[in-house]
Structure formats: structure tokens, C-alpha cells
Amino acid sequence: MRLIALYLIGLVFGIGISISGMANPAKVLNFFDVAGSWDPSLAFVMGGALATAFVGYRLVLRRPAPLTDATFHLPTKTDLDARLIGGSALFGVGWGIAGFCPGGALPALGTGKPDVFVFVAALVAGMAAARYAQSMLAANQPARA
Amino acid sequence: METEFTPLASLSGGVLIGLATTLLMLVSGRIMGATGILSGAIWGPQGRDWRIALLAGMVSGPLVILAATGSFPAIEVPVSTLAMVVGGALVGIGVTFGGGCTSGHGVCGMARLSTRSIVATLTFMLTTGITVYVVRHVLGG
């Protein structure tokens, strides 16, 4: 039952991504091409998503717990470290080159278009490499709290 | 490659994204972040089942659009296959170190007014913009 609910939630996300234009590299890149063929559509995606999630979270997080778990699993980190900023900066460079971000590309797999599979394969490879690097860095800092 | 300004479709899509985000928090108490969902589905160690279910739903989205409208949503690729590979790899490295992407930081984190997510989002928005400018107007790509 829970897995069906999660499938449906994913479906809502996937439909939203599909109609929003986030799965369309040409549209994504044009949003950032302020000096050229500028298409502001993605601002409306962010706006709509943020407004909805902001209100939704405020309502949901009033509850003592989610429906199928004992607690909410919210991120606890607060520091603005080099990894956050460096990683985000690098993500942006990649997004600006390919026109896909993870949330945009994953639903796009459903179209069967080869370019999407190429991106996602490279994405996973990059994630694997970074995870390996992270484990090496962690191994060198045993005293880190 | 010009694209059409689609405020209504984009807003509607955004609202659905926000709705899915809210529902995941309500049902499972989790962040709707594509990075964490994908890496958790592949590497676990726990929680593979619900993440795979979520991903299966996400991938089904375009199929629903196909059934409802007769065609898939447009996927127009104005860059080379090499760009997809290089861009994909950089995104993969970046989101892993950065702890999230457009959905995780940009939507979920900012909806929670997380300073980390606001900083992350501003950073990647800035570098994406700079990259597109350099690629299109400096390198002529």
C-alpha cells in the first residue's frame, strides 16, 4: 500500500516536471540565457513549486509524525562549508552544459530518448566517483566529529 | 533554439512538483530530493524499496502525458552528446558534494527556509547562468 502511494507521489512529480518544461534542456538553458534567447518560464516552475511546498510543509510539519513513519527525516546540517558551495557551484556548471538536472532528467527517462539515458548514466558515474572521493576523505579524518 | 514562454504550463507543473513534495513529507516524512532518492535507490543501504517506487512513478510521468495528449513532453536537446556526458558527470559530482539539487535544495530546502539550501540554490543558479553565458556568447557553442 505504502509503495503504491510512493509510486503515485512519484507520478505526480513526474507529470509536474513533464508539463513544467524542466525535462526540456532547450527550455532550461534558455531560462539561463538572459543575454540571448531568454525564456522565463522556469521562474514560474520554481515559484509554483516553492509556494506550494512552503504552505504544504507548514501544514504537514505541524503533525507529530508522518503517516507511515515514526518521525520526520529532516536534514540537520547547518554549516555553510566548502563542499556545499563548491559542490553546488560545480552542479551549476554541469547543468549549464547539459541542460538537465537530476529531477528533470529522471522523469524524462520515460520518453525513451537516448540523450536522457546518456545524461543519467554520466550522472550516476559522477555520483559514484564523488561518493568514492568522499569515503577516501572521510578515511583520512578519523578524528572529525 | 528558441522556446515558447509557457507561464501557465510551467506554473501548473510547478504546483504539481510542490504537491508531490508535500505528499512525500506527509506520507513518509522525507525530502523530495532527486539526488538523495537516486543515490539511495542505487546504494542504499536502507530504503531502496520506497525510493525505487518513487522513481518508477517519476519515470511514468511522460507516459501519462502521452496517454492524455497523444505525444510525449518535448525533450529538445540543443547540445552535443559529449556535452550530455560532461555535464552529467559534473552534475553527479556536484550534487553529491553539495548535498542536493534543484528539487532538494531549490524546492524542499528553500520551502523550509534552510540557509544552507538558499545558499546552495543561489550558488548553482549563478554558476548555471555564467556557464550558459560563456558557452553561448563567449565560446559560441
Side-chain angles (χ1 to χ4, degrees):
Chain A
M1 238 350 264
R2 183 181 59 108
L3 292 181
I4 294 173
L6 285 151
Y7 175 84
L8 292 171
I9 291 171
L11 186 61
V12 172
F13 185 87
I15 292 171
I17 288 283
S18 297
I19 71 179
S20 72
M22 286 298 290
N24 188 352
K27 218 164 157 62
V28 170
L29 293 173
N30 281 350
F31 171 69
F32 291 99
D33 192 8
V34 183
S37 46
W38 189 44
D39 176 352
S41 300
L42 258 41
F44 287 75
V45 185
M46 258 324 235
L50 252 181
T52 308
F54 179 76
V55 172
Y57 272 6
R58 283 184 79 91
L59 293 172
V60 169
L61 291 172
R62 275 185 206 167
R63 300 173 51 89
L67 294 176
T68 67
D69 207 327
T71 57
F72 290 105
H73 302 267
L74 299 175
T76 50
K77 279 184 174 186
T78 52
D79 50 333
L80 304 175
D81 58 357
R83 290 187 193 196
L84 178 78
I85 294 167
S88 299
L90 196 63
F91 162 43
V93 173
W95 196 16
I97 291 172
F100 271 130
C101 67
L106 291 170
L109 288 171
T111 65
K113 214 171 155 84
D115 280 317
V116 187
F117 284 84
V118 170
F119 176 84
V120 174
L123 173 72
V124 172
M127 289 169 89
R131 287 171 64 92
Y132 178 73
Q134 279 177 328
S135 67
M136 290 294 106
L137 290 167
N140 288 336
Q141 291 169 50
R144 211 160 199 234
Chain B
M1 192 183 284
E2 297 279 337
T3 54
E4 210 192 316
F5 177 45
T6 56
L8 200 56
S10 292
L11 184 67
S12 310
V15 169
L16 288 178
I17 290 165
L19 178 63
T21 298
T22 302
L23 289 173
L24 187 64
M25 188 57 74
L26 175 64
V27 172
S28 302
R30 299 264 179 184
I31 295 283
M32 183 87 209
T35 298
I37 288 163
L38 181 62
S39 68
I42 296 171
W43 290 288
Q46 309 100 329
R48 275 208 180 91
D49 60 348
W50 66 265
R51 289 188 176 95
I52 290 171
L54 206 59
L55 286 169
M58 287 166 69
V59 170
S60 304
L63 295 158
V64 169
I65 305 292
L66 176 68
T69 69
S71 40
F72 278 128
I75 316 273
E76 301 161 293
V77 178
V79 302
S80 65
T81 305
L82 180 64
M84 278 297 168
V85 174
V86 172
L90 293 178
V91 169
I93 296 168
V95 296
T96 301
F97 279 107
C101 58
T102 319
S103 47
H105 278 310
V107 178
C108 303
M110 296 225 290
R112 294 172 55 228
L113 304 176
S114 153
T115 309
R116 263 177 70 88
S117 289
I118 293 168
V119 168
T121 303
L122 289 173
T123 304
F124 63 68
M125 288 291 183
L126 182 67
T127 60
T128 309
I130 292 170
T131 301
V132 170
Y133 180 79
V134 169
V135 167
R136 290 191 170 187
H137 303 287
V138 175
L139 301 176

